[in-house]
Amino acid sequence: MPRTVAEAEAVQDRLRPLVDLVGPGPTAPRTVAGLDVAYAEDGERLAAAVTVLDAATLAVLDTAVTTGRAAFDYVPGLFAFRELPALLTALDRLTVQPDLLVCDGHGLAHPRRFGLACHLGVLTGRPAVGVGKTPLIGDWTEPGQRRGSWTPLLDGTEPVGRVLRTQDGVKPVFVSVGHRMDLDNACAQVLRLAPRYRLPETTRAADRLCRTELRRSAGRG
DNA sequence: GCGACAG
DNA sequence: ATCTTGTCGC
């Protein structure tokens, strides 16, 4: 793990070329993982969760959770270093391997084109997509109000992701490629995973799990 | 120089 | 991320 901003940026620049942008990624993944982290009030203690869902039924097939400490200060653009160690630990504890990782944060929609979803994809070798609730970089126009409507997320003239409406009238989410996926497929998968709520069921399941674990372990580990 | 800034 | 009440809508 890097300890300084300069070291962390160097790591991203070194790993960025390893991102597979060819895609298209699995059209019909059988298993999809959601990853999320919850923090205690001190912003240090955390719980990281991974949930593996059946892509067709959205039933939970496997879960893994771990507690720990933030591995890096929060710096926009270097956010991944905070949660990476804990998320990798949780991923190691899975018994059902996911065909796709759905990450809570951005992928290519990042200042150096290497957000959390790219980082997790490269380190695990698995297809990955980033789903952010708020933007980090880029300009866009409001997509239509209907579920499935989207507009390009542009960094200058470069498309780095999409602003996607996952439910009628809700705030859109920011979808970007992480690894071994193309943008069309990434958005198609996110839409399939979000049949009822704004966020993918994978993310929702992981969010519940890590929050519960954080309270259950209140105080120490 | 100033504002913006994933979770 | 987390701290927080009520409130509007299905």
Side-chain angles (χ1 to χ4, degrees), chain A residues 88-148:
Chain A
L88 291 173
T89 296
L91 281 167
D92 277 341
R93 295 183 179 173
L94 290 177
T95 57
V96 177
Q97 294 312 313
D99 296 330
L100 171 67
L101 305 180
V102 177
C103 309
D104 196 20
H106 299 102
L108 294 179
H110 175 279
R112 284 173 298 285
R113 305 291 181 271
F114 197 73
L116 175 66
C118 298
H119 210 140
L120 279 166
V122 166
L123 263 42
T124 62
R126 296 182 183 281
V129 304
V131 180
K133 296 182 286 294
T134 62
L136 173 59
I137 63 159
D139 302 304
W140 69 94
T141 58
E142 180 84 359
Q145 291 301 310
R146 304 296 290 185
R147 164 180 154 87

Side-chain angles (χ1 to χ4, degrees), chain A residues 168-185:
Chain A
D168 292 358
V170 304
K171 265 183 61 177
V173 297
F174 298 78
V175 178
S176 58
V177 166
H179 186 56
R180 295 176 58 189
M181 289 285 286
D182 65 37
L183 193 49
D184 278 326
N185 193 18

